[in-house]
Amino acid sequence: MSLGAVSPQLMLHAYAQGIFPMAETATDPELFWVDPKRRGIFPLDGFHLSRSMRRFVQNHAITATLNADFEAVLFHCADREETWINPSLHTNYTELYALGHCHSFEVWRDGALLGGVFGLTIGGAFFGESMFSLGTNGSKSALAFLTRHLKNCGFALFDTQFITDHLQSLGAVEISRAAYRSQLAEAITVPASITSQSVPDAQSILQRNAQTS
């Protein structure tokens, strides 16, 4: 269904019901609601860090930050040939960031931005919107650190919207709409805060993965 103007408050209400807006292209002013029959999620204990990724994190100066450069993350997520982030969504994400409901998670290698993820939060639910890489393993590293951080902060749900082969290889799974809405209803009541804990360091990521592998 095509939409008119969508406010940040309406977006939050929609996410809490299990739906979200998208645009066909970056230049299309129209938005439409999306309510997938199958939903992708990351089990917060189920992120798969491969041997090659372990070596990468261990052998490079990989660090992670929260909300250190939101505008850069949003820019890079939208800076691609095909994107659903139009000017209306860009504005809303920026306003939701100011309201404390939208967050960026960055990873850095030797002090340079390597990749990142941004998404919305309601209670103990994190709704992943988009990610990017500026170098090898950029988005993978961001997801590894973010998943651990959400777990540390007491989150109950990491929503990836859709499942892809890439996300599935990292531990994401696909569930039904009904199962998702059941998890969502519980997660949004959890009094979690993404800023309640320090961002994990590389050593904690490697130790956690060794314990669960």
Side-chain angles (χ1 to χ4, degrees), residues 141-204:
S141 298
L143 288 172
F145 279 85
L146 174 58
T147 303
R148 179 59 181 158
H149 182 62
L150 293 175
K151 178 68 175 178
N152 290 347
C153 292
F155 276 71
L157 177 66
F158 183 171
D159 170 23
T160 70
Q161 297 181 345
F162 303 105
I163 195 77
T164 64
D165 291 342
H166 173 64
L167 294 177
Q168 198 167 23
S169 71
L170 299 175
V173 298
E174 192 175 57
I175 61 176
S176 69
R177 179 189 290 161
Y180 171 77
R181 288 187 174 175
S182 176
Q183 291 190 32
L184 174 64
E186 182 175 349
I188 61 176
T189 68
V190 173
S193 170
I194 200 169
T195 59
S196 66
Q197 299 290 326
S198 299
V199 173
D201 59 18
Q203 193 59 36
S204 67

Side-chain angles (χ1 to χ4, degrees), residues 15-33:
Y15 277 79
Q17 308 305 311
I19 61 177
F20 54 90
M22 295 182 72
E24 288 288 353
T25 66
T27 58
D28 189 341
E30 295 293 327
L31 297 175
F32 58 91
W33 291 122

